[in-house]
Every structure is written in C-alpha cells, then in structure tokens.
Amino acid sequence: MVSRESRVLLGSMALVAAVILGLDLVTNALGLPRWSSPLFGFLVIVGLGVAVPQLYLARTDDERSPLTRLRIVVFLTVVFAFLFVGGAQGLERQAIAGLTALTVVGWFGYEFLVAYRAAKEDPSRLPDVDGGPGGP
C-alpha cells in the first residue's frame, strides 16, 4: 500500500507536469511565444512540487515534525536555485537568488522563534555554551 506522504508527493509532481504540459499546449494552440523561463520553472517546481506538499504535510502529518518539513523545503529550494540560476540572466537570476535568500532567512527566523519560545518556557533546556559557573 502506498503511504499518504507518497500519494501527496506524487500528486504534486503530477500537478507540476500538468501545469507545464498544459501551458505548453495552450501557448502552441494560440500561437503565443514560449512561456518557459528559468524563473517560471523554478517557481513551478519549487512552489508546486516542493513547498505546497511539504507545507501541507507539515500541517496534517503527525509522523514527522513540522520543522523537518520546513527544513526539506529550504534545502530543496537551495538545491533547485543552484540548478536554475545557471540558466537565468539579469532580473530572473536576481529573483531566484532573492526568493531563495528569503526562504533561508525565513527558516532561520522560524528556528530562532521556536528556540526562543522553548527557552522561555523552560530555561534549563538551553545548552551550556560557556561552561557556566564552575566550568573548566
């Protein structure tokens, strides 16, 4: 039996393929110029193929923590940014780099907020980084 997570991820990949093929068919049928660009590919693959299913699973799945899902989104965003930024030029390159930077900064901010709230609730959970009183 296929797991729920696999069904969600396969469904998102099918949606990515349907969007790309659908837009290709529409542009060919209407005689419009090609719509493909590195920025569009990055947005479709990272947005629909990575972020949407992982955020959905972070909200609804109890097997993995939401932080793990967010880390997957950030990691794959960075990986796909490296793949797509090579084919981009000018403003597209800056947009891909900017969106990736916002994703990474947002992740650090979220991790900081989670750690801050945890430390506020239970200060004993903080790591001892300076050796504390009586340390070496």
Side-chain angles (χ1 to χ4, degrees):
M1 172 126 187
V2 179
S3 70
R4 180 174 169 270
E5 178 179 3
S6 296
R7 287 192 311 265
V8 169
L9 295 175
L10 288 172
S12 71
M13 288 297 123
L15 181 61
V16 167
V19 166
I20 291 173
L21 290 173
L23 284 174
D24 195 36
L25 291 173
V26 168
T27 55
N28 286 341
L30 298 176
L32 298 173
R34 298 285 300 173
W35 50 267
S36 62
S37 71
L39 178 60
F40 176 77
F42 177 76
L43 291 175
V44 169
I45 290 176
V46 170
L48 291 177
V50 174
V52 168
Q54 290 298 331
L55 294 176
Y56 171 75
L57 289 169
R59 188 84 158 143
T60 61
D61 190 21
D62 294 333
E63 288 183 29
R64 291 199 178 123
S65 77
L67 277 177
T68 301
R69 300 283 182 191
L70 292 177
R71 289 176 186 139
I72 291 170
V73 170
V74 173
F75 175 75
L76 290 177
T77 299
V78 171
V79 168
F80 280 112
F82 277 112
L83 294 173
F84 280 94
V85 82
Q89 295 177 352
L91 188 58
E92 282 189 337
R93 182 179 287 221
Q94 292 173 348
I96 292 170
L99 289 170
T100 304
L102 283 174
T103 303
V104 171
V105 168
W107 172 56
F108 278 120
Y110 185 76
E111 290 272 355
F112 174 80
L113 185 63
V114 168
Y116 175 76
R117 286 180 181 164
K120 193 173 179 181
E121 289 176 11
D122 185 10
S124 67
R125 292 177 51 190
L126 289 173
D128 186 16
V129 294
D130 64 356

